[in-house]
mmCIF file of all heavy atoms in Angstrom:
data_model
loop_
_atom_site.group_PDB
_atom_site.id
_atom_site.type_symbol
_atom_site.label_atom_id
_atom_site.label_comp_id
_atom_site.label_asym_id
_atom_site.label_seq_id
_atom_site.Cartn_x
_atom_site.Cartn_y
_atom_site.Cartn_z
ATOM 1 N N LEU M 323 8.294 -62.462 -55.130
ATOM 2 C CA LEU M 323 8.690 -61.417 -56.067
ATOM 3 C C LEU M 323 10.175 -61.517 -56.401
ATOM 4 O O LEU M 323 10.669 -60.829 -57.278
ATOM 5 C CB LEU M 323 8.377 -60.034 -55.484
ATOM 6 C CG LEU M 323 6.890 -59.781 -55.236
ATOM 7 C CD1 LEU M 323 6.672 -58.471 -54.502
ATOM 8 C CD2 LEU M 323 6.130 -59.786 -56.556
ATOM 9 N N GLN M 350 0.948 -64.925 -57.168
ATOM 10 C CA GLN M 350 -0.516 -64.905 -57.172
ATOM 11 C C GLN M 350 -1.102 -66.014 -56.313
ATOM 12 O O GLN M 350 -2.228 -65.901 -55.834
ATOM 13 C CB GLN M 350 -1.048 -65.071 -58.605
ATOM 14 C CG GLN M 350 -0.880 -63.851 -59.484
ATOM 15 C CD GLN M 350 0.436 -63.835 -60.238
ATOM 16 O OE1 GLN M 350 1.382 -64.510 -59.848
ATOM 17 N NE2 GLN M 350 0.513 -63.060 -61.301
ATOM 18 N N VAL M 354 -0.149 -64.165 -49.710
ATOM 19 C CA VAL M 354 0.444 -63.327 -48.678
ATOM 20 C C VAL M 354 0.135 -61.872 -49.030
ATOM 21 O O VAL M 354 -0.092 -61.542 -50.186
ATOM 22 C CB VAL M 354 1.973 -63.504 -48.575
ATOM 23 C CG1 VAL M 354 2.317 -64.914 -48.197
ATOM 24 C CG2 VAL M 354 2.662 -63.098 -49.865
ATOM 25 N N PHE M 358 4.145 -52.534 -49.545
ATOM 26 C CA PHE M 358 5.338 -51.839 -49.997
ATOM 27 C C PHE M 358 5.572 -50.602 -49.143
ATOM 28 O O PHE M 358 4.644 -50.046 -48.546
ATOM 29 C CB PHE M 358 5.189 -51.432 -51.467
ATOM 30 C CG PHE M 358 5.188 -52.608 -52.399
ATOM 31 C CD1 PHE M 358 4.018 -53.247 -52.737
ATOM 32 C CD2 PHE M 358 6.381 -53.070 -52.943
ATOM 33 C CE1 PHE M 358 4.005 -54.327 -53.593
ATOM 34 C CE2 PHE M 358 6.377 -54.153 -53.798
ATOM 35 C CZ PHE M 358 5.198 -54.784 -54.131
ATOM 36 N N ASP M 360 6.067 -47.525 -49.863
ATOM 37 C CA ASP M 360 5.196 -46.369 -50.138
ATOM 38 C C ASP M 360 3.782 -46.835 -50.511
ATOM 39 O O ASP M 360 3.055 -46.148 -51.191
ATOM 40 C CB ASP M 360 5.791 -45.461 -51.215
ATOM 41 C CG ASP M 360 6.098 -46.228 -52.484
ATOM 42 O OD1 ASP M 360 5.851 -47.452 -52.494
ATOM 43 O OD2 ASP M 360 6.560 -45.627 -53.463
ATOM 44 N N ALA M 362 2.282 -48.496 -52.631
ATOM 45 C CA ALA M 362 1.957 -48.916 -54.000
ATOM 46 C C ALA M 362 0.452 -48.979 -54.245
ATOM 47 O O ALA M 362 -0.064 -49.926 -54.823
ATOM 48 C CB ALA M 362 2.607 -50.265 -54.329
ATOM 49 N N LEU M 363 -0.246 -47.964 -53.781
ATOM 50 C CA LEU M 363 -1.679 -47.875 -54.110
ATOM 51 C C LEU M 363 -1.809 -47.517 -55.582
ATOM 52 O O LEU M 363 -0.976 -46.795 -56.128
ATOM 53 C CB LEU M 363 -2.355 -46.809 -53.241
ATOM 54 C CG LEU M 363 -2.388 -47.103 -51.747
ATOM 55 C CD1 LEU M 363 -2.941 -45.905 -50.992
ATOM 56 C CD2 LEU M 363 -3.221 -48.341 -51.452
ATOM 57 N N PHE M 364 -2.868 -48.015 -56.219
ATOM 58 C CA PHE M 364 -3.040 -47.724 -57.637
ATOM 59 C C PHE M 364 -3.538 -46.286 -57.797
ATOM 60 O O PHE M 364 -4.650 -45.964 -57.372
ATOM 61 C CB PHE M 364 -4.012 -48.714 -58.267
ATOM 62 C CG PHE M 364 -3.550 -50.129 -58.101
ATOM 63 C CD1 PHE M 364 -4.275 -51.025 -57.332
ATOM 64 C CD2 PHE M 364 -2.369 -50.559 -58.691
ATOM 65 C CE1 PHE M 364 -3.837 -52.329 -57.162
ATOM 66 C CE2 PHE M 364 -1.929 -51.861 -58.522
ATOM 67 C CZ PHE M 364 -2.660 -52.748 -57.758
ATOM 68 N N PRO M 365 -2.718 -45.434 -58.418
ATOM 69 C CA PRO M 365 -3.048 -44.003 -58.440
ATOM 70 C C PRO M 365 -4.292 -43.682 -59.272
ATOM 71 O O PRO M 365 -4.901 -42.634 -59.086
ATOM 72 C CB PRO M 365 -1.802 -43.357 -59.058
ATOM 73 C CG PRO M 365 -1.087 -44.445 -59.752
ATOM 74 C CD PRO M 365 -1.438 -45.716 -59.062
ATOM 75 N N HIS M 366 -4.660 -44.585 -60.193
ATOM 76 C CA HIS M 366 -5.803 -44.297 -61.053
ATOM 77 C C HIS M 366 -7.107 -44.832 -60.473
ATOM 78 O O HIS M 366 -8.146 -44.729 -61.114
ATOM 79 C CB HIS M 366 -5.572 -44.887 -62.442
ATOM 80 C CG HIS M 366 -5.334 -46.372 -62.432
ATOM 81 N ND1 HIS M 366 -4.318 -46.970 -61.731
ATOM 82 C CD2 HIS M 366 -5.980 -47.385 -63.045
ATOM 83 C CE1 HIS M 366 -4.355 -48.272 -61.916
ATOM 84 N NE2 HIS M 366 -5.351 -48.561 -62.699
ATOM 85 N N PHE M 375 -9.664 -54.302 -55.445
ATOM 86 C CA PHE M 375 -8.869 -54.689 -56.619
ATOM 87 C C PHE M 375 -8.676 -56.202 -56.739
ATOM 88 O O PHE M 375 -8.930 -56.793 -57.778
ATOM 89 C CB PHE M 375 -7.503 -54.003 -56.569
ATOM 90 C CG PHE M 375 -6.668 -54.232 -57.796
ATOM 91 C CD1 PHE M 375 -6.799 -53.402 -58.889
ATOM 92 C CD2 PHE M 375 -5.753 -55.275 -57.862
ATOM 93 C CE1 PHE M 375 -6.044 -53.604 -60.032
ATOM 94 C CE2 PHE M 375 -5.000 -55.483 -58.999
ATOM 95 C CZ PHE M 375 -5.144 -54.645 -60.080
ATOM 96 N N GLY M 376 -8.236 -56.839 -55.658
ATOM 97 C CA GLY M 376 -7.906 -58.257 -55.724
ATOM 98 C C GLY M 376 -9.127 -59.164 -55.692
ATOM 99 O O GLY M 376 -9.039 -60.335 -56.032
ATOM 100 N N SER M 378 -11.812 -58.734 -57.498
ATOM 101 C CA SER M 378 -12.346 -58.878 -58.843
ATOM 102 C C SER M 378 -11.279 -59.452 -59.756
ATOM 103 O O SER M 378 -10.182 -58.908 -59.861
ATOM 104 C CB SER M 378 -12.805 -57.506 -59.359
ATOM 105 O OG SER M 378 -12.590 -57.402 -60.734
ATOM 106 N N ARG M 379 -11.602 -60.560 -60.391
ATOM 107 C CA ARG M 379 -10.613 -61.210 -61.258
ATOM 108 C C ARG M 379 -10.929 -60.987 -62.724
ATOM 109 O O ARG M 379 -10.545 -61.752 -63.587
ATOM 110 C CB ARG M 379 -10.565 -62.723 -60.953
ATOM 111 C CG ARG M 379 -10.070 -63.030 -59.578
ATOM 112 C CD ARG M 379 -8.618 -62.609 -59.440
ATOM 113 N NE ARG M 379 -8.217 -62.362 -58.062
ATOM 114 C CZ ARG M 379 -7.710 -63.288 -57.250
ATOM 115 N NH1 ARG M 379 -7.543 -64.499 -57.679
ATOM 116 N NH2 ARG M 379 -7.371 -62.989 -56.027
ATOM 117 N N HIS M 380 -11.673 -59.913 -63.005
ATOM 118 C CA HIS M 380 -12.059 -59.646 -64.391
ATOM 119 C C HIS M 380 -10.967 -58.883 -65.124
ATOM 120 O O HIS M 380 -9.945 -58.544 -64.570
ATOM 121 C CB HIS M 380 -13.371 -58.850 -64.432
ATOM 122 C CG HIS M 380 -14.493 -59.544 -63.741
ATOM 123 N ND1 HIS M 380 -15.058 -60.707 -64.212
ATOM 124 C CD2 HIS M 380 -15.128 -59.255 -62.583
ATOM 125 C CE1 HIS M 380 -16.010 -61.089 -63.378
ATOM 126 N NE2 HIS M 380 -16.068 -60.232 -62.380
ATOM 127 N N TRP M 381 -11.255 -58.549 -66.380
ATOM 128 C CA TRP M 381 -10.314 -57.799 -67.209
ATOM 129 C C TRP M 381 -10.408 -56.315 -66.922
ATOM 130 O O TRP M 381 -9.556 -55.547 -67.318
ATOM 131 C CB TRP M 381 -10.565 -58.069 -68.689
ATOM 132 C CG TRP M 381 -10.171 -59.443 -69.064
ATOM 133 C CD1 TRP M 381 -10.957 -60.548 -69.055
ATOM 134 C CD2 TRP M 381 -8.880 -59.896 -69.483
ATOM 135 N NE1 TRP M 381 -10.230 -61.656 -69.436
ATOM 136 C CE2 TRP M 381 -8.965 -61.273 -69.711
ATOM 137 C CE3 TRP M 381 -7.652 -59.233 -69.686
ATOM 138 C CZ2 TRP M 381 -7.862 -62.037 -70.130
ATOM 139 C CZ3 TRP M 381 -6.578 -59.996 -70.109
ATOM 140 C CH2 TRP M 381 -6.690 -61.382 -70.323
ATOM 141 N N LEU M 382 -11.500 -55.924 -66.249
ATOM 142 C CA LEU M 382 -11.669 -54.508 -65.951
ATOM 143 C C LEU M 382 -11.621 -54.302 -64.445
ATOM 144 O O LEU M 382 -11.924 -55.206 -63.667
ATOM 145 C CB LEU M 382 -13.010 -54.014 -66.492
ATOM 146 C CG LEU M 382 -13.160 -53.997 -68.001
ATOM 147 C CD1 LEU M 382 -14.585 -53.642 -68.392
ATOM 148 C CD2 LEU M 382 -12.176 -53.010 -68.625
ATOM 149 N N ASN M 383 -11.233 -53.089 -64.056
ATOM 150 C CA ASN M 383 -11.224 -52.763 -62.642
ATOM 151 C C ASN M 383 -12.650 -52.596 -62.130
ATOM 152 O O ASN M 383 -13.548 -52.274 -62.904
ATOM 153 C CB ASN M 383 -10.434 -51.475 -62.421
ATOM 154 C CG ASN M 383 -8.949 -51.695 -62.591
ATOM 155 O OD1 ASN M 383 -8.376 -52.620 -62.009
ATOM 156 N ND2 ASN M 383 -8.326 -50.883 -63.422
ATOM 157 N N PRO M 384 -12.845 -52.824 -60.815
ATOM 158 C CA PRO M 384 -14.176 -52.587 -60.270
ATOM 159 C C PRO M 384 -14.579 -51.134 -60.468
ATOM 160 O O PRO M 384 -13.727 -50.250 -60.491
ATOM 161 C CB PRO M 384 -14.017 -52.930 -58.782
ATOM 162 C CG PRO M 384 -12.550 -52.949 -58.517
ATOM 163 C CD PRO M 384 -11.889 -53.276 -59.801
ATOM 164 N N HIS M 411 -3.536 -39.907 -53.957
ATOM 165 C CA HIS M 411 -2.761 -38.686 -53.712
ATOM 166 C C HIS M 411 -3.520 -37.675 -52.864
ATOM 167 O O HIS M 411 -2.957 -36.685 -52.427
ATOM 168 C CB HIS M 411 -2.321 -38.061 -55.038
ATOM 169 C CG HIS M 411 -3.448 -37.468 -55.837
ATOM 170 N ND1 HIS M 411 -4.182 -38.206 -56.747
ATOM 171 C CD2 HIS M 411 -3.975 -36.222 -55.853
ATOM 172 C CE1 HIS M 411 -5.101 -37.426 -57.274
ATOM 173 N NE2 HIS M 411 -5.004 -36.225 -56.778
ATOM 174 N N ARG M 418 -3.504 -43.778 -46.237
ATOM 175 C CA ARG M 418 -2.880 -44.614 -47.271
ATOM 176 C C ARG M 418 -2.505 -45.971 -46.713
ATOM 177 O O ARG M 418 -2.724 -46.999 -47.334
ATOM 178 C CB ARG M 418 -1.611 -43.928 -47.794
ATOM 179 C CG ARG M 418 -1.919 -42.899 -48.837
ATOM 180 C CD ARG M 418 -0.634 -42.346 -49.379
ATOM 181 N NE ARG M 418 -0.818 -40.921 -49.624
ATOM 182 C CZ ARG M 418 0.110 -40.119 -50.089
ATOM 183 N NH1 ARG M 418 1.302 -40.595 -50.356
ATOM 184 N NH2 ARG M 418 -0.146 -38.864 -50.304
ATOM 185 N N ARG M 425 -6.718 -53.354 -48.572
ATOM 186 C CA ARG M 425 -6.607 -53.985 -49.883
ATOM 187 C C ARG M 425 -6.000 -55.382 -49.759
ATOM 188 O O ARG M 425 -6.382 -56.314 -50.466
ATOM 189 C CB ARG M 425 -5.726 -53.116 -50.784
ATOM 190 C CG ARG M 425 -5.562 -53.630 -52.181
ATOM 191 C CD ARG M 425 -4.737 -52.697 -53.015
ATOM 192 N NE ARG M 425 -3.315 -52.709 -52.639
ATOM 193 C CZ ARG M 425 -2.372 -52.038 -53.295
ATOM 194 N NH1 ARG M 425 -2.679 -51.292 -54.325
ATOM 195 N NH2 ARG M 425 -1.115 -52.100 -52.902
ATOM 196 N N LEU M 429 -8.395 -60.028 -48.844
ATOM 197 C CA LEU M 429 -8.164 -61.322 -49.511
ATOM 198 C C LEU M 429 -7.826 -62.426 -48.512
ATOM 199 O O LEU M 429 -7.498 -63.538 -48.898
ATOM 200 C CB LEU M 429 -7.023 -61.185 -50.528
ATOM 201 C CG LEU M 429 -7.290 -60.185 -51.652
ATOM 202 C CD1 LEU M 429 -6.038 -59.987 -52.503
ATOM 203 C CD2 LEU M 429 -8.430 -60.671 -52.524
ATOM 204 N N GLN T 212 6.563 -51.344 -59.185
ATOM 205 C CA GLN T 212 6.040 -51.832 -57.917
ATOM 206 C C GLN T 212 4.524 -52.007 -57.954
ATOM 207 O O GLN T 212 3.986 -52.891 -57.293
ATOM 208 C CB GLN T 212 6.399 -50.832 -56.821
ATOM 209 C CG GLN T 212 7.100 -51.495 -55.664
ATOM 210 C CD GLN T 212 7.601 -50.493 -54.655
ATOM 211 O OE1 GLN T 212 6.902 -49.542 -54.306
ATOM 212 N NE2 GLN T 212 8.795 -50.710 -54.181
ATOM 213 N N LEU T 213 3.862 -51.167 -58.754
ATOM 214 C CA LEU T 213 2.407 -51.297 -58.860
ATOM 215 C C LEU T 213 2.039 -52.621 -59.508
ATOM 216 O O LEU T 213 1.063 -53.277 -59.138
ATOM 217 C CB LEU T 213 1.828 -50.135 -59.663
ATOM 218 C CG LEU T 213 1.996 -48.756 -59.027
ATOM 219 C CD1 LEU T 213 1.545 -47.670 -59.985
ATOM 220 C CD2 LEU T 213 1.216 -48.682 -57.732
ATOM 221 N N GLN T 215 3.915 -55.304 -59.358
ATOM 222 C CA GLN T 215 4.200 -56.339 -58.354
ATOM 223 C C GLN T 215 3.064 -56.409 -57.326
ATOM 224 O O GLN T 215 2.666 -57.496 -56.912
ATOM 225 C CB GLN T 215 5.511 -56.027 -57.640
ATOM 226 C CG GLN T 215 6.736 -56.200 -58.528
ATOM 227 C CD GLN T 215 8.024 -56.199 -57.734
ATOM 228 O OE1 GLN T 215 8.120 -55.557 -56.697
ATOM 229 N NE2 GLN T 215 9.012 -56.916 -58.228
ATOM 230 N N ALA T 216 2.573 -55.250 -56.929
ATOM 231 C CA ALA T 216 1.468 -55.224 -55.968
ATOM 232 C C ALA T 216 0.268 -55.983 -56.541
ATOM 233 O O ALA T 216 -0.378 -56.765 -55.838
ATOM 234 C CB ALA T 216 1.086 -53.784 -55.639
ATOM 235 N N ALA T 217 -0.008 -55.769 -57.827
ATOM 236 C CA ALA T 217 -1.138 -56.455 -58.457
ATOM 237 C C ALA T 217 -0.904 -57.965 -58.499
ATOM 238 O O ALA T 217 -1.831 -58.755 -58.344
ATOM 239 C CB ALA T 217 -1.360 -55.911 -59.864
ATOM 240 N N GLN T 218 0.368 -58.351 -58.702
ATOM 241 C CA GLN T 218 0.720 -59.774 -58.706
ATOM 242 C C GLN T 218 0.399 -60.409 -57.358
ATOM 243 O O GLN T 218 -0.224 -61.466 -57.284
ATOM 244 C CB GLN T 218 2.227 -59.910 -58.931
ATOM 245 C CG GLN T 218 2.639 -60.280 -60.329
ATOM 246 C CD GLN T 218 4.128 -60.562 -60.362
ATOM 247 O OE1 GLN T 218 4.935 -59.837 -59.792
ATOM 248 N NE2 GLN T 218 4.503 -61.617 -61.018
ATOM 249 N N VAL T 219 0.866 -59.758 -56.295
ATOM 250 C CA VAL T 219 0.636 -60.303 -54.952
ATOM 251 C C VAL T 219 -0.859 -60.338 -54.643
ATOM 252 O O VAL T 219 -1.331 -61.188 -53.911
ATOM 253 C CB VAL T 219 1.405 -59.467 -53.902
ATOM 254 C CG1 VAL T 219 1.153 -60.002 -52.509
ATOM 255 C CG2 VAL T 219 2.887 -59.482 -54.205
ATOM 256 N N LEU T 220 -1.610 -59.410 -55.243
ATOM 257 C CA LEU T 220 -3.056 -59.399 -55.020
ATOM 258 C C LEU T 220 -3.761 -60.440 -55.887
ATOM 259 O O LEU T 220 -4.986 -60.492 -55.916
ATOM 260 C CB LEU T 220 -3.627 -58.011 -55.299
ATOM 261 C CG LEU T 220 -3.218 -56.936 -54.278
ATOM 262 C CD1 LEU T 220 -3.577 -55.552 -54.770
ATOM 263 C CD2 LEU T 220 -3.865 -57.201 -52.934
ATOM 264 N N GLY T 221 -2.985 -61.227 -56.640
ATOM 265 C CA GLY T 221 -3.550 -62.402 -57.287
ATOM 266 C C GLY T 221 -3.872 -62.268 -58.760
ATOM 267 O O GLY T 221 -4.478 -63.170 -59.339
ATOM 268 N N LEU T 222 -3.466 -61.169 -59.389
ATOM 269 C CA LEU T 222 -3.825 -61.006 -60.801
ATOM 270 C C LEU T 222 -2.745 -61.538 -61.742
ATOM 271 O O LEU T 222 -1.560 -61.390 -61.475
ATOM 272 C CB LEU T 222 -4.087 -59.517 -61.111
ATOM 273 C CG LEU T 222 -5.579 -59.228 -61.226
ATOM 274 C CD1 LEU T 222 -6.195 -59.215 -59.846
ATOM 275 C CD2 LEU T 222 -5.822 -57.935 -61.948
ATOM 276 N N SER T 223 -3.190 -62.100 -62.858
ATOM 277 C CA SER T 223 -2.253 -62.633 -63.838
ATOM 278 C C SER T 223 -1.686 -61.495 -64.683
ATOM 279 O O SER T 223 -2.204 -60.382 -64.701
ATOM 280 C CB SER T 223 -2.968 -63.632 -64.745
ATOM 281 O OG SER T 223 -3.942 -62.951 -65.499
ATOM 282 N N ALA T 225 -1.539 -60.702 -67.937
ATOM 283 C CA ALA T 225 -2.317 -60.008 -68.967
ATOM 284 C C ALA T 225 -3.332 -59.075 -68.325
ATOM 285 O O ALA T 225 -3.560 -57.959 -68.789
ATOM 286 C CB ALA T 225 -3.013 -61.031 -69.857
ATOM 287 N N LYS T 226 -3.932 -59.533 -67.222
ATOM 288 C CA LYS T 226 -4.921 -58.679 -66.560
ATOM 289 C C LYS T 226 -4.256 -57.488 -65.894
ATOM 290 O O LYS T 226 -4.838 -56.408 -65.839
ATOM 291 C CB LYS T 226 -5.725 -59.502 -65.552
ATOM 292 C CG LYS T 226 -6.732 -60.385 -66.263
ATOM 293 C CD LYS T 226 -7.475 -61.312 -65.344
ATOM 294 C CE LYS T 226 -8.369 -62.212 -66.188
ATOM 295 N NZ LYS T 226 -8.965 -63.286 -65.412
ATOM 296 N N PHE T 229 -3.900 -54.803 -68.488
ATOM 297 C CA PHE T 229 -5.108 -54.047 -68.832
ATOM 298 C C PHE T 229 -5.690 -53.252 -67.664
ATOM 299 O O PHE T 229 -6.418 -52.292 -67.867
ATOM 300 C CB PHE T 229 -6.176 -54.973 -69.418
ATOM 301 C CG PHE T 229 -5.883 -55.370 -70.837
ATOM 302 C CD1 PHE T 229 -5.439 -56.639 -71.146
ATOM 303 C CD2 PHE T 229 -6.006 -54.442 -71.858
ATOM 304 C CE1 PHE T 229 -5.144 -56.989 -72.458
ATOM 305 C CE2 PHE T 229 -5.713 -54.778 -73.165
ATOM 306 C CZ PHE T 229 -5.281 -56.049 -73.469
ATOM 307 N N ARG T 230 -5.384 -53.685 -66.434
ATOM 308 C CA ARG T 230 -5.998 -52.998 -65.284
ATOM 309 C C ARG T 230 -5.068 -52.020 -64.585
ATOM 310 O O ARG T 230 -5.532 -51.147 -63.870
ATOM 311 C CB ARG T 230 -6.514 -54.040 -64.283
ATOM 312 C CG ARG T 230 -7.775 -54.732 -64.796
ATOM 313 C CD ARG T 230 -8.258 -55.801 -63.854
ATOM 314 N NE ARG T 230 -8.480 -55.296 -62.515
ATOM 315 C CZ ARG T 230 -8.947 -56.023 -61.525
ATOM 316 N NH1 ARG T 230 -9.246 -57.288 -61.731
ATOM 317 N NH2 ARG T 230 -9.122 -55.506 -60.338
ATOM 318 N N VAL T 231 -3.766 -52.188 -64.770
ATOM 319 C CA VAL T 231 -2.828 -51.283 -64.095
ATOM 320 C C VAL T 231 -1.936 -50.549 -65.099
ATOM 321 O O VAL T 231 -1.940 -49.318 -65.173
ATOM 322 C CB VAL T 231 -1.942 -52.068 -63.085
ATOM 323 C CG1 VAL T 231 -0.933 -51.124 -62.441
ATOM 324 C CG2 VAL T 231 -2.807 -52.729 -62.034
ATOM 325 N N PRO T 234 -3.877 -48.429 -68.131
ATOM 326 C CA PRO T 234 -4.568 -47.211 -67.667
ATOM 327 C C PRO T 234 -3.608 -46.109 -67.220
ATOM 328 O O PRO T 234 -3.938 -44.934 -67.305
ATOM 329 C CB PRO T 234 -5.397 -47.706 -66.468
ATOM 330 C CG PRO T 234 -5.569 -49.147 -66.682
ATOM 331 C CD PRO T 234 -4.361 -49.632 -67.407
ATOM 332 N N LEU T 235 -2.407 -46.490 -66.758
ATOM 333 C CA LEU T 235 -1.453 -45.479 -66.309
ATOM 334 C C LEU T 235 -0.621 -44.940 -67.466
ATOM 335 O O LEU T 235 0.026 -43.919 -67.342
ATOM 336 C CB LEU T 235 -0.540 -46.062 -65.225
ATOM 337 C CG LEU T 235 -1.243 -46.358 -63.899
ATOM 338 C CD1 LEU T 235 -0.321 -47.103 -62.952
ATOM 339 C CD2 LEU T 235 -1.722 -45.070 -63.251
ATOM 340 N N ARG T 317 -0.092 -39.218 -63.241
ATOM 341 C CA ARG T 317 -0.918 -39.001 -62.059
ATOM 342 C C ARG T 317 -0.409 -39.683 -60.805
ATOM 343 O O ARG T 317 -1.046 -39.712 -59.775
ATOM 344 C CB ARG T 317 -2.373 -39.433 -62.309
ATOM 345 C CG ARG T 317 -3.129 -38.412 -63.112
ATOM 346 C CD ARG T 317 -4.598 -38.565 -62.861
ATOM 347 N NE ARG T 317 -5.145 -39.703 -63.552
ATOM 348 C CZ ARG T 317 -6.351 -40.174 -63.340
ATOM 349 N NH1 ARG T 317 -7.146 -39.610 -62.476
ATOM 350 N NH2 ARG T 317 -6.793 -41.209 -64.007
ATOM 351 N N ARG T 318 0.789 -40.243 -60.875
ATOM 352 C CA ARG T 318 1.331 -40.873 -59.691
ATOM 353 C C ARG T 318 1.763 -39.800 -58.701
ATOM 354 O O ARG T 318 2.443 -38.860 -59.058
ATOM 355 C CB ARG T 318 2.530 -41.725 -60.106
ATOM 356 C CG ARG T 318 3.358 -42.248 -58.969
ATOM 357 C CD ARG T 318 2.938 -43.637 -58.639
ATOM 358 N NE ARG T 318 3.104 -43.866 -57.219
ATOM 359 C CZ ARG T 318 3.535 -45.007 -56.725
ATOM 360 N NH1 ARG T 318 3.804 -45.982 -57.506
ATOM 361 N NH2 ARG T 318 3.655 -45.153 -55.444
ATOM 362 N N ASP T 319 1.383 -39.985 -57.492
ATOM 363 C CA ASP T 319 1.761 -38.992 -56.504
ATOM 364 C C ASP T 319 3.205 -39.223 -56.073
ATOM 365 O O ASP T 319 3.535 -40.255 -55.523
ATOM 366 C CB ASP T 319 0.839 -39.113 -55.291
ATOM 367 C CG ASP T 319 1.055 -37.963 -54.339
ATOM 368 O OD1 ASP T 319 1.540 -36.916 -54.761
ATOM 369 O OD2 ASP T 319 0.745 -38.145 -53.149
ATOM 370 N N ASP T 321 5.073 -37.371 -53.941
ATOM 371 C CA ASP T 321 5.562 -36.614 -52.781
ATOM 372 C C ASP T 321 6.143 -37.519 -51.714
ATOM 373 O O ASP T 321 5.903 -38.710 -51.664
ATOM 374 C CB ASP T 321 4.434 -35.758 -52.206
ATOM 375 C CG ASP T 321 3.414 -36.578 -51.470
ATOM 376 O OD1 ASP T 321 3.325 -37.814 -51.777
ATOM 377 O OD2 ASP T 321 2.712 -36.055 -50.626
ATOM 378 N N ARG T 322 6.941 -36.928 -50.890
ATOM 379 C CA ARG T 322 7.594 -37.694 -49.822
ATOM 380 C C ARG T 322 7.190 -37.146 -48.462
ATOM 381 O O ARG T 322 7.958 -37.144 -47.522
ATOM 382 C CB ARG T 322 9.112 -37.630 -49.991
ATOM 383 C CG ARG T 322 9.630 -38.428 -51.152
ATOM 384 C CD ARG T 322 10.074 -39.798 -50.699
ATOM 385 N NE ARG T 322 9.939 -40.765 -51.783
ATOM 386 C CZ ARG T 322 9.739 -42.028 -51.584
ATOM 387 N NH1 ARG T 322 9.644 -42.508 -50.380
ATOM 388 N NH2 ARG T 322 9.627 -42.847 -52.598
#
Side-chain angles (χ1 to χ4, degrees):
Chain M
L323 297 173
Q350 287 90 339
V354 298
F358 291 90
D360 55 359
L363 295 174
F364 302 115
H366 58 302
F375 186 87
S378 146
R379 295 295 157 90
H380 302 292
W381 290 91
L382 293 173
N383 287 310
H411 70 271
R418 278 184 217 179
R425 182 178 72 175
L429 299 173
Chain T
Q212 233 173 43
L213 296 173
Q215 290 193 329
Q218 259 188 316
V219 179
L220 291 168
L222 256 75
S223 65
K226 285 175 184 171
F229 284 106
R230 287 177 55 177
V231 177
L235 291 172
R317 282 203 284 169
R318 169 96 212 219
D319 189 23
D321 73 337
R322 288 265 152 208

